[in-house]
Amino acid sequence: MNHLEIKAAIQIAKPIQEVFEAIVDPQKMSNYFIAKGSARMETGKTVTWQFPEFPDQFNITVLSVSAPSAIAFEWEGAKDHVLKVDMQLQDKGAATVVRITEGTMPNDEEGIKWLRGNTEGWANFLACLKAYLEYNINLRTGAFDYMKG
C-alpha cells in the first residue's frame, strides 16, 4: 500500500536567521500561529503548543534543530498517530525558502482525511509566517473563530 506524505513550501523575503527564529521562538510564533508555547524549540525538548481557536494542547517532541537550516519534531499529527515533521530552510540571500514535510499515513480513508486537513494546516502556517515576517500581520486573528465550540 502506498503511503501519504504532506509537502508544502513558500519563499519568504527575509534572511534565513530571521525566519528560523520566527519558527523556534514561541514568543515570535505566537504572533502568527500559536497562542502560546511552553519553550523554545531545541533538540531533545518537549514543548507544548496552545492554539488560539482550540482548547487542546499539542506536545511537540523536538528531534533535532540545526540552526538556521533545519528543524525536525514529532507530534500527534493525526489522532493516535505520532508523525514526524521536517522543516528545511534554504538561504536565498535576502529571501528564505521554507519546505515542510510531514508523514506518513496509509493511503486509506483516515490517511486521506489527515492529508487534506494537515496540508491545509501547513499551507496556512506558511502563509501566516510570510504575512507576519514581511508585513507584521497576524492572519490567524479571528480566522478560525467559526470553529470554536
Side-chain angles (χ1 to χ4, degrees):
M1 177 186 295
N2 293 339
H3 282 81
L4 303 171
E5 182 177 72
I6 292 169
K7 291 184 182 289
I10 203 165
Q11 182 165 304
I12 299 171
K14 290 292 179 178
I16 192 170
Q17 189 62 40
E18 190 174 340
V19 177
F20 175 80
E21 284 299 318
I23 296 170
V24 300
D25 182 339
Q27 294 284 72
K28 290 184 173 136
M29 192 183 273
S30 70
N31 290 310
Y32 68 92
F33 189 57
I34 58 175
K36 64 182 175 183
S38 64
R40 183 179 174 85
M41 293 179 78
E42 296 175 351
T43 301
K45 273 192 177 177
T46 297
V47 299
T48 303
W49 287 347
Q50 171 71 53
F51 288 89
E53 306 85 12
F54 314 110
D56 305 349
Q57 294 187 344
F58 295 86
N59 290 323
I60 311 301
T61 303
V62 184
L63 301 174
S64 63
V65 175
S66 299
S69 59
I71 303 153
F73 64 87
E74 289 181 330
W75 72 336
E76 189 175 349
K79 185 170 174 36
D80 300 324
H81 294 275
V82 174
L83 301 171
K84 183 179 179 187
V85 176
D86 280 305
M87 297 183 173
Q88 299 292 319
L89 285 69
Q90 183 180 8
D91 189 346
K92 295 288 192 178
T96 304
V97 175
V98 181
R99 298 180 198 286
I100 298 174
T101 305
E102 182 181 9
T104 63
M105 288 280 288
N107 189 357
D108 58 16
E109 187 175 332
E110 181 185 20
I112 291 168
K113 181 180 177 188
W114 161 81
L115 183 72
R116 183 181 62 245
N118 284 28
T119 298
E120 289 174 3
W122 287 119
N124 179 265
F125 169 86
L126 291 170
C128 291
L129 176 61
K130 182 176 180 70
Y132 166 64
L133 287 174
E134 292 184 11
Y135 303 102
N136 201 29
I137 296 171
N138 186 340
L139 292 178
R140 284 185 77 100
T141 302
F144 299 101
D145 285 354
Y146 71 95
M147 297 175 81
K148 292 180 179 176

